[in-house]
Amino acid sequence: MTHIVVLGSTNMDLVAYVGKAPQRGETVTGREFRTIPGGKGANQAVAAARAGATVSMIGAVGNDAFGSRLRTGLELPQALRAGGTPTGVNTDHLRTVEGPSGTAHIVVDDEGGNSIVVIPGANGTVDHLVPGDEGLIASADALLLQLEIPMAAVLAGARTARAHGVRTILTPAPARPLPPELLNSVDLLVPNEHEATALTGVPDPFAAADALLAQVPEVVVTLGAAGCLYVTRGAEPLAVPAPRVTAVDSTGAGDTFVGALAVALAEERPVREALTWAATAAALSVQRAGASASMPYRSEIEARYSA
Ligand code: RIB
């Protein structure tokens, strides 16, 4: 069984659904409000678990009501294991700390687009690995990292994975400058087109991906409804389309893509197949509301997947 470890954030997503997002200084009346477990780290953990991996989460929640709901949400059965045993994300390495949990304040418009403000809360305390984390990372087939926890922990995770020969996949979101040591320790970088441009200053996604190859051996740039493109050193680039769907909420689509991609690559599927499988998972997720709540199960991905 594939084992994926995620080192990253957990947030309670506070989501307002509106026709059109307000401009600066404007007040609009929305349609609905929901609280849905999210956070880029937890989303990737749920996506990978639903795609069929055994998943462990390293991070922190606060000692508030959101914290217990975030923990329980991860632990809920995400997939059936051998023998029909329902299994959730392992939270033994998810600390509970004094203070509020992370929150994300999200506006989703009628076209399924979103804007997000994240308040890190407990995620801000995840600035180092604690005893046991290293052994857990060493036992994984892949480590998934994002940038919603302090850089010191992201770096420590990447270093640990590199020392133990574990594949590291970094989602550089929210975009910020990356220390060269981090890029040099990452095996696969998965920015969206905006993050790719923010990292390189290059507006064209293909050219940006190429520029990133100077530091990272493999890069996937996600392009939303247009699919994704993949580049690696010494091979032709690949452009992989996404299935055509009507989006109701794109929150967490990138996380779904990365979680599913990590599973497919750990299962040693060929790259084009893995990317198509991940794009299928992401396309399924945007047709439902919420981040982790919208993520498809392996059976749903398989049913919709066509190579
Ligand atoms: O990537 C989507 C996630 O970003 C949301 O779930 C929200 O918590 C923010 O972290």
Side-chain angles (χ1 to χ4, degrees), residues 204-227:
D204 174 68
F206 253 117
D210 242 6
L212 288 164
L213 276 188
Q215 287 158 295
V216 182
E218 293 181 287
V219 178
V220 175
V221 179
T222 57
L223 305 168

Side-chain angles (χ1 to χ4, degrees), residues 9 11 13 37-40 43 104 106 116 118 148 251-252 255 291:
S9 59
N11 293 327
D13 290 353
K40 294 185 195 303
N43 290 344
I106 306 182
I116 306 180
V118 171
E148 285 187 337
T251 313
D255 301 325

